[in-house]
Amino acid sequence: QVELVESGGGSVQTGGSLRLSCVASGDTNHLRSMGWFRQAPGKEREGVASLYTGGGKTSYANSVMGRFTISQDKTKNTVYLQMNSLQPEDTAMYYCAAGGYWRVGNIEGSDFDYWGQGTQVTVGS
């Protein structure tokens, strides 16, 4: 129904920036939320950021608030994650996700129905 493809990962120095992209295709009209998750080796999956596709609503994990920005370009069916002031603890596989509804609260993986393949982000200096 929906395919999500992430790109933009790579290796950056501590304090650097990176912009991830997620292109959605298929039956995307019903999507109401888009999110980014990450998972580092030996750690559980963490919700990073999410947005309401109708605009005006975003959520962030406390660990990235003020450094990361989620946004969308609906004309391109693309969601972005701008990551600034990157730290080694941001190193992880980053996954794009999409769901059919929006809710206020923690960014939970169970709220999302579609997932991308992941893109690796490595931060070090």
Side-chain angles (χ1 to χ4, degrees):
Q1 295 184 16
V2 175
E3 182 181 13
L4 306 175
V5 179
E6 306 99 327
S7 63
S11 298
V12 297
Q13 296 181 352
T14 299
S17 297
L18 205 60
R19 191 191 198 195
L20 306 183
S21 299
C22 173
V23 179
S25 61
D27 187 11
T28 62
N29 288 338
H30 71 290
L31 298 179
R32 296 293 179 268
S33 62
M34 299 289 295
W36 288 95
F37 293 77
R38 66 186 182 186
Q39 187 166 27
K43 296 184 178 180
E44 295 182 350
R45 182 178 59 192
E46 176 188 19
V48 175
S50 67
L51 62 75
Y52 169 58
T53 60
K57 302 180 187 298
T58 58
S59 295
Y60 295 94
N62 289 338
S63 58
V64 307
M65 193 172 299
R67 299 188 297 120
F68 290 11
T69 303
I70 187 171
S71 62
Q72 67 177 339
D73 184 341
K74 301 205 73 173
T75 66
K76 299 179 179 179
N77 287 322
T78 301
V79 176
Y80 304 97
L81 185 67
Q82 178 66 47
M83 304 183 293
N84 298 326
S85 301
L86 284 163
Q87 304 298 312
E89 52 264 39
D90 296 316
T91 296
M93 285 288 295
Y94 283 71
Y95 299 90
C96 180
Y101 67 94
W102 166 267
R103 72 171 181 89
V104 175
N106 293 336
I107 306 165
E108 300 285 350
S110 59
D111 292 334
F112 296 85
D113 304 307
Y114 310 100
W115 296 83
Q117 84 290 345
T119 184
Q120 177 68 38
V121 172
T122 303
V123 184
S125 63

